[in-house]
């Protein structure tokens, strides 16, 4: 099991880091008292979902319970069936002060230091020295934008940049309404319709007989080539921008033949490029 412990200075951007880790497939839990980490890992081991990637955010928000953090994290690292990495997030003092003033949020140690933010930050920094020293990764966020922080986290924990984005390829029938979740919608009603071929009417675009018919026309082949070229160009731009989910939809009249054919073939094409793809056919069972 891969376990990432995200810790560091309050206000440095740990919540944003956890959002990225969740987007790329980690089961995330925030503000977990360090004493409960081992118990939480045991629960993950016993889970029917067989969790393989877990991210835990732990910091001074847990109050006095954080005092044992160093000992708890060391115990976690000694467990042989775990691949534990500690990611420490930091920022300069003045940047932290500015962020708290802009957001008007209270520092976890606000009451202890009677609202003196500089003293609270100094105490927190001193308290985290041991844990900072055992960190496997370190990100300084003082001058990083949100998209730059996302990019750094993805670079550390993804073997391929495209792993950061899941792609859903869907089909639908225009007569049942346009798919409203889509980022990209392609209308393939311009292509010859298998519905008017008696022996194909009861079949769908998931089947080879329909796919062969739809793709037997030059305009279908040319459209497929142009779609592949366009997606090869667009998807890296979406990944760089930080998009975590892309929905590509194909529509035809009834959502059973042409749209499914293109959704299936484009989904397969993207999968061969190493992308995380899910295919869904919204209206495949309508009017049956």
């Amino acid at each position: 099991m891969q376990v990432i412990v995200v810790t560091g200075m309050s206000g440095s951007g740990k919540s944003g880091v956890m959002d990225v880790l969740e987007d790329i497939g980690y089961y995330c839990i925030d503000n977990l008292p360090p004493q409960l980490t081992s118990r939480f890992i045991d629960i993950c081991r016993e889970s029917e979902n067989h969790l393989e990637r877990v991210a835990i955010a732990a910091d001074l928000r847990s109050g006095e319970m954080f005092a044992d953090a160093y000992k708890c994290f060391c115990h976690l690292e000694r467990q042989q069936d775990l691949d534990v990495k500690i990611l420490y997030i930091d920022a300069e003092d003045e940047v932290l002060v500015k962020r708290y003033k802009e957001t008007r949020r209270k520092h976890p140690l606000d009451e202890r230091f009677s609202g003196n933010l500089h003293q609270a930050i100094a105490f927190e920094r001193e308290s985290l020295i041991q844990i900072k020293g055992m960190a496997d990764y370190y990100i300084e966020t003082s001058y990083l934008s949100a998209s730059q922080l996302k990019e750094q986290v993805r670079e550390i924990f993804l073997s391929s940049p495209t792993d950061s984005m899941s792609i859903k390829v869907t089909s639908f029938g225009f007569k049942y309404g346009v798919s409203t979740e889509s980022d990209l919608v392609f209308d393939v009603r311009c292509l010859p319709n298998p519905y008017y071929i008696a022996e194909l009417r009861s079949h769908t675009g998931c089947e080879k007989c329909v796919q062969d018919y739809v793709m037997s026309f030059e305009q279908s082949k040319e459209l497929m080539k142009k779609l592949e070229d366009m997606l090869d160009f667009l998807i890296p731009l979406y990944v760089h921008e930080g998009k975590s989910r892309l929905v590509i939809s194909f529509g035809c009249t009834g959502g059973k033949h042409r749209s499914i054919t293109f959704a299936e073939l484009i989904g397969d094409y993207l999968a061969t490029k190493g992308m995380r793809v899910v295919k869904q056919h919204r209206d495949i069972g309508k009017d049956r």
Side-chain angles (χ1 to χ4, degrees):
M1 183 189 299
Q2 297 178 14
V3 180
I4 300 173
V5 177
V6 180
T7 189
M9 296 295 293
S10 301
S12 60
K14 295 188 297 297
S15 296
V17 170
M18 293 295 282
D19 289 341
V20 179
L21 291 173
E22 186 170 28
D23 286 342
I24 65 178
Y26 283 82
Y27 182 88
C28 297
I29 183 166
D30 193 15
N31 197 18
L32 184 71
Q35 295 89 335
L36 296 180
T37 54
S38 291
R39 177 58 187 141
F40 173 68
I41 294 301
D42 288 340
I43 293 172
C44 292
R45 288 190 182 105
E46 298 163 4
S47 169
E48 293 182 359
N49 295 327
H50 303 294
L51 297 175
E52 296 181 352
R53 301 199 295 176
V54 174
I56 300 168
D59 52 46
L60 282 184
R61 287 174 295 169
S62 55
E64 296 298 328
M65 291 183 288
F66 194 74
D68 293 330
Y70 179 77
K71 181 173 65 177
C72 294
F73 296 159
C74 288
H75 173 71
L76 208 61
E77 289 187 324
R78 287 195 294 267
Q79 299 187 45
Q80 294 184 353
D81 65 331
L82 301 180
D83 177 17
V84 180
K85 302 296 183 185
I86 296 178
L87 171 59
Y88 190 93
I89 312 298
D90 203 356
E92 296 175 359
D93 289 3
E94 292 307 316
V95 172
L96 295 174
V97 170
K98 181 181 178 182
R99 288 175 182 174
Y100 272 105
K101 288 183 176 179
E102 287 177 347
T103 60
R104 298 186 179 182
R105 297 198 63 187
K106 291 173 61 176
H107 191 278
L109 301 174
D110 183 79
E111 294 184 6
R112 179 170 181 170
F113 290 95
S114 303
N116 189 315
L117 195 51
H118 287 278
Q119 289 183 6
I121 290 173
F123 180 86
E124 181 178 27
R125 198 174 290 284
E126 180 69 23
S127 302
L128 290 170
I129 285 179
Q130 272 190 310
I131 293 173
K132 182 179 179 181
M134 67 187 297
D136 299 281
Y137 306 107
Y138 176 88
I139 298 179
E140 216 283 357
T141 67
S142 296
Y143 305 104
L144 293 181
S145 66
S147 61
Q148 288 172 329
L149 177 58
K150 288 181 180 180
E151 187 174 350
Q152 285 206 19
V153 175
R154 292 197 301 262
E155 286 178 355
I156 293 172
F157 296 108
L158 287 177
S159 56
S160 169
T162 55
D163 290 343
S164 64
M165 186 172 70
S166 64
I167 300 176
K168 182 178 179 181
V169 185
T170 73
S171 66
F172 68 92
F174 276 98
K175 73 177 184 177
Y176 303 112
V178 178
S179 173
T180 57
E181 67 170 342
S182 306
D183 298 297
L184 300 172
V185 178
F186 299 101
D187 183 352
V188 293
R189 289 177 294 182
C190 56
L191 302 176
N193 192 350
Y195 178 83
Y196 297 109
I197 308 299
E199 57 267 30
L200 296 178
R201 183 174 301 172
S202 62
H203 296 275
T204 74
C206 290
E207 298 169 79
K208 189 175 185 299
C209 58
V210 173
Q211 292 182 8
D212 288 346
Y213 175 83
V214 172
M215 299 309 300
S216 66
F217 300 92
E218 284 302 316
Q219 58 263 46
S220 300
K221 297 174 185 175
E222 185 67 20
L223 177 57
M224 181 64 70
K225 182 178 182 300
K226 290 182 182 296
L227 287 170
E228 291 173 353
D229 289 343
M230 182 174 64
L231 292 173
D232 286 344
F233 172 75
L234 285 177
I235 288 175
L237 299 181
Y238 285 127
V239 171
H240 181 73
E241 185 268 338
K243 192 173 183 63
S244 61
R245 187 169 184 263
L246 180 68
V247 181
I248 304 170
S249 295
F250 293 91
C252 63
T253 305
K256 296 181 181 62
H257 299 105
R258 294 164 292 179
S259 60
I260 291 180
T261 294
F262 271 78
E264 283 289 321
L265 296 179
I266 285 293
D268 291 343
Y269 173 76
L270 296 176
T272 63
K273 296 279 187 173
M275 299 173 192
R276 292 193 294 146
V277 178
V278 174
K279 293 183 284 189
Q280 184 181 76
H281 306 301
R282 191 190 73 179
D283 300 324
I284 192 171
K286 299 281 179 65
D287 294 340
R288 283 198 168 187

